[in-house]
């Protein structure tokens, strides 16, 4: 199951806002963020379309958890590892 661990950073009301959030994260945490491709996916949440900002996928769960821990320690509020 290697390579199947995306990290969700947040969700937004529009794709443009999700793109802007990725740019902010890349500017603030470039060494972590720019190693991975941004993945912006639409999802239905409570009847509305939200755009999930994900990174990855990471090679292992440990790598993904480390990315989240590093971002949270640096002051980001949200980071969730998916399988």
């Amino acid at each position: 199951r290697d390579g199947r661990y995306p990290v969700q950073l947040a969700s937004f009301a529009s794709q443009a806002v999700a793109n802007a959030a990725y740019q902010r994260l890349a500017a603030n945490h470039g060494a972590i963020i720019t190693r991975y491709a941004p993945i912006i996916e639409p999802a239905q949440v409570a009847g509305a379309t939200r755009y999930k900002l994900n990174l990855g996928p990471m090679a292992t769960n440990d790598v993904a958890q480390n990315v989240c821990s590093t971002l949270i320690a640096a002051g980001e509020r949200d980071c969730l590892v998916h399988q």
Side-chain angles (χ1 to χ4, degrees):
R1 294 210 37 140
D2 283 354
R4 297 192 185 150
Y5 297 91
V7 168
Q8 183 177 332
L9 301 175
S11 71
F12 301 94
S14 76
Q15 187 163 353
V17 175
N19 283 325
Y22 174 77
Q23 295 302 321
R24 179 191 67 80
L25 287 162
N28 290 342
H29 311 288
I32 302 160
I33 299 295
T34 58
R35 280 188 240 167
Y36 304 100
I39 304 163
I40 298 173
E41 300 176 316
Q44 290 297 309
V45 179
T49 300
R50 301 285 294 176
Y51 293 85
K52 298 188 297 181
L53 173 57
N54 299 306
L55 287 181
M58 315 296 169
T60 67
N61 184 58
D62 286 345
V63 170
Q65 293 291 347
N66 188 46
V67 167
C68 279
S69 296
T70 302
L71 289 171
I72 297 294
E76 294 301 324
R77 294 182 314 212
D78 299 311
C79 193
L80 179 64
V81 176
H82 290 284
Q83 278 189 357

